[in-house]
């Protein structure tokens, strides 16, 4: 089943990290695409985000001024579309309440994809801050969507390749290295024993699967798990593959649970604390591969076998 391209799509958060890939994919699939953008972002003459928006306009995107906090602008935007995709930051989960309220008021939305595009939050427990608040708010917002009867799909894609594979699981290196970072060639820090597994997806592939699911009745009111079996690796396996590709063994430094929690406490910025806290529940707790997909979930590569996704080995091979 292929997305028809006829549905009108509203994207909130198109200038964010994964939002950029989703916006470009929506246009590539032929959807009339509307972007709700802050006036300060759209009107800036030289900002990188403004230049990116101009590139999307050249491809046919419609820019609507407003924000998720401005209820009137959300209502007016939703009146123009059939499907809403929210890509606000994880710390803004509850700001999406205005989207729920507007969808209920307008009454024309076929599908809502809330700001997920990460982990199976209902299966994540025993976390540390700031991850704890984001997990709790995401779960809370899911329950609101379901209670309000909003037609939804939760897109669960585990780990972005440019974040996790490029750093060999050292997520805290994001922002400290070139973007996208290159895998280390001398030394690697491994959180825990390195055996916890997760699925790793190239961002363009996440966007493609997202487009495929928009009008698919098989994913209505379900979670779409993007978990290609050939892309499920532990850090030890990632590292072994990288060492094979470059023909060299790396020095390995293993970090215990206690040591990682101290690193989180000592981190200077919120971003660094968050990245380390994610490493904690992914690699120390092993929460991304410790459950079976139940009746309320479907796996993307089984639904859409025609999609040629990038394998982890291919991705690493492009980094040489």
């Amino acid at each position: 089943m292929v997305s028809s391209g006829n549905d009108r799509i509203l994207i909130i958060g198109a200038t964010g990290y994964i939002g950029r890939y989703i916006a470009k994919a929506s246009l590539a699939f032929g959807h009339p695409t509307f972007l709700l953008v802050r006036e300060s972002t759209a009107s800036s003459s030289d900002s990188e985000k403004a230049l990116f928006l101009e590139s999307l306009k050249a491809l046919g995107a419609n820019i609507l001024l407003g924000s998720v906090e401005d209820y009137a602008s959300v209502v007016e935007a939703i009146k123009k579309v059939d499907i809403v995709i929210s890509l606000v930051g994880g710390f803004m989960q509850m700001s999406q309440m205005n989207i729920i309220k507007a969808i209920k008021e307008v009454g024309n939305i076929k599908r809502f994809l809330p700001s997920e595009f990460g982990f199976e939050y209902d299966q994540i427990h025993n976390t540390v801050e700031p991850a704890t608040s984001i997990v709790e708010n995401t779960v809370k917002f899911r329950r609101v969507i379901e209670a309000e009867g909003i037609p939804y799909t939760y897109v669960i894609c585990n780990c972005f390749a440019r974040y996790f594979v490029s750093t060999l699981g050292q997520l805290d290196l994001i922002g400290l290295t070139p973007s996208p970072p290159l895998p280390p060639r001398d030394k690697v820090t491994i959180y825990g024993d390195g055996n916890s597994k997760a699925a790793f997806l190239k961002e363009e592939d996440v966007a493609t699967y997202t487009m495929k699911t928009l009008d698919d009745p098989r994913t209505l009111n379900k979670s779409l798990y993007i978990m290609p079996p050939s892309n499920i690796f532990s850090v030890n396996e990632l590292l072994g593959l990288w060492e094979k590709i470059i023909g060299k063994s790396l020095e390995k430094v293993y970090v215990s649970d206690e040591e990682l929690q101290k690193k989180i406490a000592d981190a200077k910025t919120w971003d660094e604390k968050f990245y380390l806290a994610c490493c904690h529940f992914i690699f120390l707790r092993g929460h991304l591969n410790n459950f079976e997909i139940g009746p309320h979930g479907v796996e993307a590569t089984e639904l859409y076998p025609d999609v040629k996704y990038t394998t982890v080995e291919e991705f690493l091979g492009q980094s040489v």
Side-chain angles (χ1 to χ4, degrees):
M1 185 169 296
V2 178
S3 178
S4 66
N6 295 323
D7 287 319
R8 300 164 298 167
I9 311 299
L10 172 64
I11 300 174
I12 303 173
T15 61
Y17 182 71
I18 194 62
R20 296 173 178 235
Y21 297 97
I22 301 295
K24 287 189 284 188
S26 179
L27 291 162
F29 270 70
H31 290 289
T33 302
F34 297 79
L35 313 177
L36 187 65
V37 179
R38 296 180 191 275
E39 185 173 5
S40 59
T41 299
S43 62
S44 175
S45 60
D46 59 357
S47 77
E48 188 276 332
K49 287 184 178 181
L51 293 174
F52 175 70
L53 288 173
E54 286 299 319
S55 72
L56 294 181
K57 283 175 65 177
L59 295 173
N62 302 280
I63 307 299
L64 307 175
L65 298 181
S67 71
V68 70
E69 298 94 347
D70 178 0
Y71 180 69
S73 71
V74 175
V75 169
E76 289 306 308
I78 286 177
K79 287 179 180 178
K80 301 177 186 296
V81 301
D82 307 296
I83 293 170
V84 178
I85 304 176
S86 175
L87 298 154
V88 301
F91 59 91
M92 294 179 63
Q93 282 293 341
M94 299 313 292
S95 71
Q96 296 178 104
M97 291 300 295
N98 271 345
I99 301 175
I100 294 292
K101 185 179 176 184
I103 288 174
K104 296 281 286 185
E105 178 179 330
V106 177
N108 64 326
I109 294 303
K110 297 179 181 179
R111 191 84 60 103
F112 174 42
L113 277 62
S115 187
E116 295 259 347
F117 299 90
F119 314 115
E120 177 43 285
Y121 293 101
D122 277 312
Q123 300 292 335
I124 296 175
H125 311 286
N126 301 318
T127 54
V128 295
E129 289 289 6
T132 300
S133 296
I134 290 177
V135 170
E136 290 177 349
N137 284 335
T138 303
V139 170
K140 185 186 302 183
F141 190 64
R142 284 184 178 186
R143 301 294 88 83
V144 172
I145 292 171
E146 294 155 12
E148 293 292 342
I150 304 294
Y152 69 86
T153 299
Y154 305 141
V155 178
I156 298 167
C157 55
N158 274 212
C159 301
F160 297 138
R162 288 185 178 88
Y163 271 23
F164 287 89
V165 179
S166 294
T167 63
L168 299 181
Q170 299 170 107
L171 190 57
D172 51 309
L173 294 183
I174 298 296
L176 303 177
T177 58
S179 181
L182 295 174
R185 288 175 173 263
D186 298 305
K187 180 179 178 180
V188 61
T189 298
I190 299 173
Y191 297 113
D193 61 12
N195 291 324
S196 294
K197 294 192 175 187
F200 300 93
L201 273 296
K202 193 173 182 182
E203 290 81 345
E204 290 88 347
D205 295 333
V206 172
T208 296
Y209 284 116
T210 299
M211 291 301 110
K212 300 282 274 187
T213 196
L214 293 179
D215 58 0
D216 189 340
R218 297 172 297 177
T219 62
L220 179 62
N221 296 335
K222 291 187 176 182
S223 295
L224 178 73
Y225 297 87
I226 313 177
M227 300 177 68
S230 60
N231 275 18
I232 296 176
F233 280 76
S234 69
V235 170
N236 287 334
E237 290 168 338
L238 274 181
L239 179 56
L241 182 57
W242 177 239
E243 289 176 331
K244 179 181 176 182
I245 289 172
I246 64 174
K248 177 184 177 182
S249 294
L250 276 65
E251 178 187 351
K252 303 165 185 67
V253 178
Y254 289 87
V255 176
S256 69
D257 192 324
E258 182 180 356
E259 290 169 330
L260 179 53
Q261 293 206 45
K262 185 177 187 306
K263 285 188 71 171
I264 295 169
D266 293 342
K268 300 268 193 289
T269 68
W270 187 92
D271 283 350
E272 187 181 359
K273 286 180 181 291
F274 176 64
Y275 291 147
L276 287 168
C278 286
C279 289
H280 183 265
F281 71 70
I282 295 169
F283 301 124
L284 270 298
R285 295 287 186 254
H287 284 318
L288 301 197
N289 202 41
N290 64 347
F291 62 92
E292 298 290 331
I293 296 175
H296 295 292
V298 287
E299 203 284 311
T301 62
E302 295 179 1
L303 288 186
Y304 314 114
D306 57 308
V307 174
K308 175 64 174 70
Y309 62 84
T310 301
T311 67
V312 166
E313 185 170 5
E314 289 168 340
F315 185 86
L316 280 173
Q318 295 163 5
S319 300
V320 178

